[in-house]
Amino acid sequence: MKSLIGAVVGAFCVATPALAETPAAIVEDVQGKVDGIAFMDYVAPGKIIKLGPKASVTLSYLKSCVRETISEGVVLVGAEQSTVQLGEVKRDKVPCDTNAAKLSEREANQSAATTFRTMRSDAKAEPAKLPTIYGVAPLVQAKSGSTLVIERTDGKEPSITMPLKNEIMVGGKFYDFAKAGKSLTPGGSYIAILGAKRYAFQVDSSATSSPTPIVGRLLRLE
């Protein structure tokens, strides 16, 4: 079996050209012996993952919103889904917004400015759609040691201020509202503030407190 896995890995290495280290997916879960990755790691296209006997990994793709649970075998990470040899894969399409998963300050500020201009120029016009998360408890990627402030922009709601101490960060770089017992309001629009930077986003009106795939509630601010 080891020689067969080695042959598959070798074939993947030959067939796969060098690719840029742009994250394609995030690791949502790891069970058993899995080489080269850990919970909450990002993986880039071309990454090869070897799963031991009875091992499994769950990957959520940032661009395609495809969530895969892969059992055993060898995995070649792609741009929108994986190629799996000698193992089994279960795929689901989950609610997510690729603009939220790769939110940048420039995009966020443009979204906020566009919405404001639209509302000023035509009260009846449909405002620009902000990047959307599909769970009331965001998972925020931000630098440890900074302070995160969340403010409601379309209604009255107490702001949330969180010093991002390393000991409360998942994997050293994620603040999980669900783990902290905090939540936002379905349908609400918000600004996430990190120092002088501001990021606009909204919570889908159908969002609930039920467990939500990570990719559907991920806000990458850093």
Side-chain angles (χ1 to χ4, degrees):
M1 184 65 175
K2 288 185 178 179
S3 60
L4 184 55
I5 290 177
V8 171
V9 171
F12 276 160
C13 290
V14 170
T16 306
L19 297 171
E21 288 295 312
T22 301
I26 188 168
V27 180
E28 284 205 26
D29 186 52
V30 177
Q31 299 291 330
K33 181 175 173 53
V34 181
D35 293 337
I37 61 167
F39 173 61
M40 296 304 294
D41 278 353
Y42 286 116
V43 289
K47 172 73 175 177
I48 296 173
I49 303 168
K50 293 184 289 182
L51 306 179
K54 298 183 180 180
S56 66
V57 62
T58 299
L59 302 177
S60 282
Y61 276 83
L62 305 178
K63 182 178 179 181
S64 63
C65 301
V66 168
R67 186 172 186 253
E68 301 176 333
T69 299
I70 305 164
S71 302
E72 303 187 352
V74 182
V75 181
L76 175 64
V77 176
E80 298 187 10
Q81 68 177 42
S82 305
T83 300
V84 180
Q85 297 286 345
L86 308 177
E88 297 182 356
V89 57
K90 178 183 177 183
R91 291 189 178 94
D92 296 298
K93 191 88 168 181
V94 301
C96 86
D97 184 345
T98 58
N99 290 322
K102 61 178 182 180
L103 192 63
S104 70
E105 182 192 13
R106 178 173 173 269
E107 290 170 334
N109 288 339
Q110 284 181 337
S111 296
T114 301
T115 301
F116 180 74
R117 285 197 301 269
T118 302
M119 292 174 68
R120 285 287 301 274
S121 62
D122 185 355
K124 296 182 180 180
E126 191 72 22
K129 187 177 185 296
L130 294 173
T132 303
I133 59 172
Y134 290 85
V136 296
L139 181 74
V140 181
Q141 180 184 338
K143 188 177 295 184
S144 177
S146 58
T147 297
L148 174 65
V149 179
I150 304 290
E151 293 183 351
R152 181 83 181 259
T153 59
D154 64 342
K156 292 183 178 181
E157 192 171 305
S159 62
I160 300 173
T161 301
M162 295 151 293
L164 302 181
K165 299 177 181 179
N166 189 61
E167 58 266 27
I168 66 171
M169 302 291 280
V170 179
K173 58 185 176 182
F174 297 96
Y175 181 84
D176 191 346
F177 274 59
K179 188 175 180 180
K182 300 179 185 295
S183 63
L184 305 180
T185 302
S189 297
Y190 294 86
I191 290 285
I193 303 171
L194 280 173
K197 299 178 180 179
R198 283 162 168 73
Y199 308 83
F201 68 97
Q202 66 183 5
V203 181
D204 187 72
S205 59
S206 63
T208 70
S209 58
S210 299
T212 305
I214 285 174
V215 72
R217 60 188 184 96
L218 178 64
L219 290 173
R220 294 172 62 196
L221 306 188
E222 297 282 355

